[in-house]
Amino acid sequence: MSMTDPLLSVEDIVVDFQTRAGKARVLDHVSLEVESGEILGIVGESGCGKSMTALSIMGLVPDPPGRVTSGSIRLDGVELVGMDHERLRRIRGKDIGMIFQEPMSSLNPVFTVGEQIAESVRLHENASPRAAMDRAIAMLRAVEIPEAELRARAYPHQLSGGMRQRVMIAIALACRPRVLIADEPTTALDTTVQAQIFDLLQDLQSDMGTAIILITHDMGAIAELADTVAVMYAGRVVEKGTVETVLSSPQHPYTQGLITCVPHLEPDPPAERSELMEIPGVVPALTDLGRGCAFAPRCRATIDRCGVEKPALLPSEDAHLTACWVAQGGAQR
Amino acid sequence: MSLWRTIATRIGYGVLLLLAVLVLNFTLISVAPGDIADSIAGDMGGADAEVMDEIRARYGLDQPFFVQLWRYMSGVFTLDLGYSYFFNTPVTELVLERLPATLLLVFSSQIIAIALGTLLGVMAAKNPTGIVNVVVSFLALFGFAAPVFWTGILLIIAFVSVFPIFPVGGMQDVTVEGGFFIKALDVLYHLILPMITLSSIYLALYSRLARASMQEVLGADYVRTARAKGVPERSVLYKHALKNALGPVITVAGLQFASVISGAVVVETVFSWPGLGTLALQSILARDTPTIMGILFYSSLVVIAFNILTDIVLRLVDPRIKAG
Ligand SMILES: Nc1ncnc2c1ncn2[C@@H]1O[C@H](COP(=O)(O)OP(=O)(O)OP(=O)(O)O)[C@@H](O)[C@H]1O
Ligand SMILES: [Mg+2]
């Protein structure tokens, strides 16, 4: 741990949603940090709060019904939670860029892609329309779109899914942000395009030195790209550490389950692989999480304490953090 | 390029439609009982059969139906819509003299209804718990429930009788003297009440439509993208969201245009606005067939032209709409 603040630090963020079924704690004391030039991976099943973590960093949690109840998010030491709207707006798109999950619907259908990239340059750098459009074309080249001048004048519906996601990346990177949040940038794309997008992100990152938060279901991508990883479950971070330690010795049963889902990471027998998938109910409803560990109902190694008290995120064996009573007990033993 | 093709195709269809409308109107009016001879005889307090036959022969009404239709249609191709028995004027001259007043009323009320309706819709969608939302719901209730003539009469009672702010009717005050600008102001002064009356129904329609459309668009992913880029909220609403939400409003405005013209007929009658509506009423009462036909011809022409215009605007707003 260095004495200086990390580039971006998220500390004990709590996000609550008012739903018809009652209050849902969508993020429960989530803490993350990412350094300049580093890639942080966030993994977890659908609905565990990955996108909401990203939105809370962007200051875009839909309010109402959602609300950042407590916690702190600092960019270079500057607090973002509770910052006034105008100042936050100037940071969005300039210092923090975001690529969204849905490339098909995330671009505005009635503006050309060139305009959409140029807009943030005009907004944040006071560039002339001409200069902004030149930058847009340069960005289209940077994300390896052929015939960039021509494509700049295309509307989103004239481009393929992979092209649109490249355009999204160009928008997010147009102002050379210090942090890029990529929320499942490849989910909707076929596998060859997925690989291309990941390569592209890695290249851009080493060129620009941007810190990337990479949200994905894909443990393989994490293994390949990320430096550190945070595993989320039901709105909490359950395991966190460098990719090597977490992937080679996962402490939390949930992480272990996720890793066994990826054949080439751990060639376990298929029986064990399907175990996690077999448990009915999947992620519990966030409106009525009990007192205990949210994963306990699906866990294969519970002790009494798991049902009554939420485990804290504490260092285990090799200095990475785990929120599991069993793993922590094992470490003390 | 393909825009021009679309326009050409639309104009082609428009001409065909116009011909069909003419034939249909002509047929309907010929099968309706009573003609100009009955009307003239009525005015004279009765006439014998010989005189009636003479009148019919003079206007060609003694000819078989298809001969009459053929004569009329060949006239139309040379833009000769016949001669008004009642007003003693060529129909085209008569209609073109009244058309601008109607167009002024129709377009001004549509512009007000679309602009104000869209603005209200955006404001209501932006803040679902705000007062504007209640206003839109109330407007919708009122606009759909109240017939135009009733709204018109209500406004006359309020702003002519009780608070004498506006003139009771007409389009100009002949005693007003001055240059073009003064005259224009005078027309505007006379226009306000009929315009509000005619726009009331459509204001209700468009504001509700714009609200629903905006509510949907504001939940779209690309609106979130705009916010993530740091676009100011005003620009998120009025640029990114509104340009997407306008489609349904423009489409419905195009579809409604025919009904706006018939609404104008009622409003003109209430406010004695000297447009096509008052002319239509007079010529129907006089059984002045050529004039009625002429009015129908020109209003169909306006409706068709407006629909072509709608198509063009829609294509300019939304690049996804293809020629067809
Ligand atoms: N508008 C909302 N109202 C109520 N709950 C919401 C709302 N938006 C999200 N949530 C809840 O927040 C939780 C976290 O959602 P989030 O989108 O962050 O999941 P995720 O991890 O990104 O999942 P995925 O992998 O499917 O993208 C989910 O349980 C979801 O039900
Ligand atoms: Mg998500």
Side-chain angles (χ1 to χ4, degrees):
Chain A
M1 275 270 165
S2 67
M3 291 307 290
T4 53
D5 263 339
L7 177 60
L8 179 77
S9 77
V10 175
E11 243 179 78
D12 286 326
I13 274 292
V14 177
V15 170
D16 292 316
F17 268 71
Q18 214 54 53
T19 67
R20 231 166 295 159
K23 193 177 80 173
R25 182 143 289 190
V26 170
L27 294 185
D28 187 4
H29 294 90
V30 168
S31 298
L32 302 165
E33 43 283 312
V34 58
E35 297 287 354
S36 239
E38 201 182 70
I39 298 183
L40 161 70
I42 302 181
V43 284
E45 280 169 298
S46 196
C48 65
K50 304 184 298 294
S51 296
M52 208 48 72
T53 305
L55 289 179
S56 60
I57 295 170
M58 297 295 288
L60 289 177
V61 171
D63 178 7
R67 212 171 88 80
V68 178
T69 309
S70 65
S72 152
I73 297 170
R74 284 191 306 275
L75 178 70
D76 244 354
V78 178
E79 180 63 57
L80 302 184
V81 175
M83 181 185 267
D84 95 292
H85 291 287
E86 183 56 23
R87 267 186 79 197
L88 194 56
R89 179 183 75 68
R90 285 174 206 273
I91 289 175
R92 281 204 290 265
K94 182 167 192 297
D95 295 309
I96 312 177
M98 180 157 176
I99 305 168
F100 290 96
Q101 215 163 336
E102 305 83 6
M104 292 308 179
S105 53
S106 291
L107 292 174
N108 197 323
V110 301
F111 296 106
T112 64
V113 297
E115 275 167 45
Q116 296 186 55
I117 304 170
E119 186 178 25
S120 41
V121 181
R122 277 203 318 272
L123 282 169
H124 296 298
E125 298 180 10
N126 253 325
S128 69
R130 184 71 182 275
M133 189 51 81
D134 287 346
R135 171 83 66 82
I137 292 168
M139 285 312 297
L140 286 175
R141 279 204 202 95
V143 295
E144 292 160 16
I145 289 185
E147 298 174 288
E149 285 93 349
L150 205 67
R151 293 300 161 85
R153 270 174 274 143
Y155 288 94
H157 71 273
Q158 297 164 326
L159 303 178
S160 68
M163 286 288 172
R164 288 189 219 184
Q165 196 59 298
R166 283 164 194 265
V167 171
M168 272 305 298
I169 296 174
I171 291 176
L173 292 177
C175 295
R176 296 181 164 260
R178 287 184 287 170
V179 180
L180 173 70
I181 304 174
D183 188 357
E184 306 193 31
T186 60
T187 351
L189 309 174
D190 65 53
T191 32
T192 40
V193 185
Q194 281 188 11
Q196 289 168 8
I197 297 280
F198 280 136
D199 283 349
L200 180 67
L201 282 177
Q202 211 168 16
D203 289 352
L204 293 170
Q205 195 245 4
S206 54
D207 285 357
M208 296 189 182
T210 316
I212 297 183
I213 298 179
L214 176 65
I215 298 173
T216 180
H217 286 143
D218 186 350
M219 270 294 193
I222 294 288
E224 214 173 298
L225 298 173
D227 302 299
T228 57
V229 61
V231 181
M232 291 189 68
Y233 188 78
R236 305 187 106 202
V237 174
V238 295
E239 186 152 6
K240 191 165 74 171
T242 62
V243 167
E244 300 84 63
T245 57
V246 172
L247 292 193
S248 60
S249 60
Q251 299 296 304
H252 199 286
Y254 179 63
T255 315
Q256 291 163 1
L258 283 182
I259 290 171
T260 52
C261 288
V262 186
H264 74 265
L265 286 179
E266 188 165 318
D268 266 0
E272 187 162 3
R273 255 185 75 190
S274 55
E275 198 171 339
L276 188 70
M277 302 305 157
E278 272 170 15
I279 304 166
V282 214
V283 185
L286 296 175
T287 39
D288 51 17
L289 291 178
R291 287 179 298 145
C293 171
F295 187 66
R298 300 170 73 190
C299 189
R300 52 192 147 85
T302 48
I303 54 176
D304 290 347
R305 203 173 175 188
C306 298
V308 292
E309 198 180 339
K310 285 194 197 325
L313 192 60
L314 293 173
S316 59
E317 256 173 24
D318 47 8
H320 80 256
L321 307 176
T322 312
C324 175
W325 292 128
V326 177
Q328 284 161 15
Q332 279 153 24
R333 228 179 283 138
Chain B
M1 237 198 31
S2 65
L3 180 65
W4 295 113
R5 255 185 63 179
T6 315
I7 296 173
T9 321
R10 286 284 189 277
I11 290 178
Y13 283 133
V15 169
L16 286 181
L17 190 63
L18 206 54
L19 291 180
V21 166
L22 279 175
V23 172
L24 190 70
N25 286 339
F26 195 88
T27 312
L28 282 176
I29 290 174
S30 342
V31 297
D35 58 17
I36 182 78
D38 295 316
S39 166
I40 292 175
D43 285 348
M44 296 192 308
D48 54 31
E50 216 169 288
V51 177
M52 303 259 295
D53 284 345
E54 201 181 302
I55 296 171
R56 291 200 173 101
R58 180 137 52 97
Y59 294 115
L61 297 177
D62 55 344
Q63 299 291 320
F65 170 74
F66 283 105
V67 176
Q68 289 187 40
L69 179 63
W70 173 249
R71 282 186 182 169
Y72 186 76
M73 295 301 282
S74 38
V76 167
F77 278 108
T78 58
L79 282 181
D80 171 16
L81 294 178
Y83 193 81
S84 163
Y85 317 125
F86 185 72
F87 294 96
N88 259 319
T89 319
V91 167
T92 298
E93 196 177 301
L94 197 61
V95 173
L96 289 187
E97 188 196 336
R98 301 292 196 97
L99 191 60
T102 297
L103 290 185
L104 178 65
L105 178 62
V106 163
F107 276 104
S108 61
S109 62
Q110 280 297 285
I111 288 169
I112 294 278
I114 292 175
L116 198 60
T118 307
L119 187 70
L120 286 175
V122 173
M123 286 162 66
K126 181 179 71 177
N127 185 1
T129 53
I131 180 81
V132 181
N133 212 359
V134 182
V135 170
V136 168
S137 301
F138 178 79
L139 266 181
L141 203 66
F142 181 83
F144 290 131
V148 234
F149 71 85
W150 184 78
T151 313
I153 291 171
L154 210 68
L155 285 177
I156 290 181
I157 294 173
F159 296 108
V160 179
S161 309
V162 182
F163 304 104
I165 303 171
F166 289 107
V168 67
M171 184 170 156
Q172 271 166 319
D173 188 340
V174 285
T175 63
V176 168
E177 293 195 0
F180 172 80
F181 187 67
I182 305 278
K183 291 247 162 72
L185 272 184
D186 184 45
V187 170
L188 188 66
Y189 178 51
H190 284 77
L191 177 64
I192 288 174
L193 284 190
M195 183 177 71
I196 292 176
T197 308
L198 186 55
S199 58
S200 64
I201 344 168
Y202 300 100
L203 182 63
L205 183 64
Y206 299 145
S207 59
R208 244 177 46 138
L209 205 62
R211 176 176 65 182
S213 180
M214 272 301 275
Q215 270 167 351
E216 194 186 316
V217 167
L218 283 178
D221 291 333
Y222 52 78
V223 168
R224 194 183 51 189
T225 305
R227 293 199 171 111
K229 283 200 295 192
V231 174
E233 193 58 25
R234 176 185 295 261
S235 181
V236 169
L237 280 178
Y238 289 95
K239 181 180 168 192
H240 287 264
L242 185 57
K243 199 171 177 206
N244 280 279
L246 271 182
V249 178
I250 297 170
T251 308
V252 171
L255 294 173
Q256 287 290 324
F257 197 71
S259 100
V260 183
I261 296 224
S262 42
V265 172
V266 178
V267 173
E268 286 180 8
T269 313
V270 173
F271 289 94
S272 25
W273 185 260
L276 283 186
T278 32
L279 182 67
L281 194 69
Q282 288 166 327
S283 45
I284 288 169
L285 292 178
R287 295 208 165 71
D288 186 358
T289 314
T291 310
I292 301 171
M293 288 287 296
I295 292 170
L296 292 174
F297 173 77
Y298 279 101
S299 12
S300 312
L301 197 67
V302 170
V303 169
I304 289 168
F306 189 79
N307 277 320
I308 295 175
L309 188 73
T310 310
D311 278 348
I312 297 173
V313 173
L314 260 184
R315 284 195 40 144
L316 293 180
V317 166
D318 192 337
R320 283 168 300 183
I321 296 169
K322 282 266 171 286

